[in-house]
Amino acid sequence: MRDDFPDLARRALRDAGYSMKAAAREMHYDPAYLSRVLNGKQRPSENLAHALDSLVGAGGALAGTLLSDDDRKRVARSAENPSRLDAGTVDALAGVLAAYRRLDDSVQPRTIIPATTAQMREVTRLLRAARGRHRDRLADVASEWVQFAGWLSAQVCAFGEGLRLLDEAVELADETGNGTLAAQALNFKGYIARQQGRPRGIARWFGAAATTPGAHPAQRIGDYLQAAGGLAEMGEAGAALRLVEDAEKLMDAAAGLPPPETAYWLTPDFNRMNMGICTLALGRYSEAADHLRAGLAGLPAELRDAPWTWEHKAALRRAVAAA
């Protein structure tokens, strides 16, 4: 697997407004050593990786993208002989992916797109040659990598590439029958439709996500609510309200379960924001403002300034202005 820590760290420092020299001075590190690390000529120490992570406010995610020496060797062995793929390799790849997902909560999407695309290609290449009992788990990890790359593309309005990747992610998820991953990829297609102002697409893709076999109840709640928003924008208020009722019927079941690991953000507070998007489309502006305000306030501190919250903050401003 590629070591993209230098590229990620350079881009994250740039986004945070630090030159290499300023970063070295702030962290009390030798600029020459930091230069070698940021140019990929020397592996960072664990201490430096965490210092960089702290400096850019990544909450451990940047440091988490760096494989340990043992995991690097394990992944390299599997890449050389994919027919002998082992559980440790899949665990290592899944761990790096989880760090990338968390990094998306603190840095600009463009910062991580190049590294994400490169890692996705490596993992899907390994999957094509992999054999044995761990292949299905690797297929799930590959599906999530592809889905994540599609989500990042959607965030920067590269909608055609995003849709292509999300379709590929659905196919990989279907290969192993992973309804959670398939539903999330369809959800992101609904997000793209909303960014494009296509209410029929909003209703279609969020509706498809909500009814995907194996979807988590928390996913289905958010998907029903967002599909209802699309229907409301089409003037079909009655059908929209029926979907809201479907979402409300699932709330007790969802409250008793942790969110899916691959959609860790799907808390009740997050779905308050989805209810806000829905009620805004229904023209219930004061109610929408209350839901959006509560949902945003209920996010964990590390998520409150994530780039993906901008849509909800803009919706809150519209709801307040119209109330």
Side-chain angles (χ1 to χ4, degrees), residues 39-61:
N39 285 292
K41 296 179 180 178
Q42 184 173 344
R43 291 261 302 169
S45 67
E46 185 175 341
N47 285 341
L48 175 58
H50 284 285
L52 283 164
D53 188 290
S54 178
L55 187 63
V56 302

Side-chain angles (χ1 to χ4, degrees), residues 33-105:
Y33 169 43
L34 182 59
S35 177
R36 291 194 299 273
V37 168
L38 295 181
N39 285 292
K41 296 179 180 178
Q42 184 173 344
R43 291 261 302 169
S45 67
E46 185 175 341
N47 285 341
L48 175 58
H50 284 285
L52 283 164
D53 188 290
S54 178
L55 187 63
V56 302
L62 178 61
T65 66
L66 194 64
L67 285 173
S68 69
D69 288 339
D70 286 344
D71 281 340
R72 288 174 66 211
K73 293 174 184 176
R74 180 178 290 111
V75 172
R77 286 195 300 270
S78 291
E80 291 172 3
N81 191 352
S83 64
R84 301 189 64 180
L85 176 74
D86 63 8
T89 294
V90 181
D91 288 341
L93 297 175
V96 171
L97 172 58
Y100 271 71
R101 298 299 298 253
R102 294 287 184 175
L103 196 56
D104 179 43
D105 296 329

Side-chain angles (χ1 to χ4, degrees), residues 91-218:
D91 288 341
L93 297 175
V96 171
L97 172 58
Y100 271 71
R101 298 299 298 253
R102 294 287 184 175
L103 196 56
D104 179 43
D105 296 329
S106 57
V107 303
Q108 298 295 319
R110 292 187 185 279
T111 298
I112 50 177
I113 284 177
T116 297
T117 302
Q119 299 287 11
M120 175 195 72
R121 289 172 178 159
E122 292 291 331
V123 173
T124 53
R125 185 180 300 118
L126 176 60
L127 176 65
R128 285 194 291 271
R131 301 292 182 272
R133 61 194 179 96
H134 301 295
R135 188 185 182 282
D136 279 358
R137 275 198 63 221
L138 179 62
D140 284 343
V141 173
S143 175
E144 193 180 354
W145 270 111
V146 176
Q147 176 198 120
F148 181 51
W151 161 245
L152 292 175
S153 294
Q155 288 191 83
V156 298
C157 301
F159 297 134
E161 177 67 0
L163 290 170
R164 183 189 70 78
L165 289 167
L166 292 170
D167 284 340
E168 183 180 340
V170 170
E171 290 180 8
L172 286 167
D174 284 349
E175 185 179 318
T176 62
N178 192 318
T180 302
L181 286 174
Q184 194 57 51
L186 292 168
N187 170 285
F188 289 153
K189 292 184 74 170
Y191 169 84
I192 288 176
R194 190 162 64 226
Q195 304 318 300
Q196 294 177 318
R198 296 189 296 110
R200 198 170 296 277
I202 296 170
R204 177 187 305 117
W205 295 119
F206 283 118
T211 56
T212 295
H216 188 284

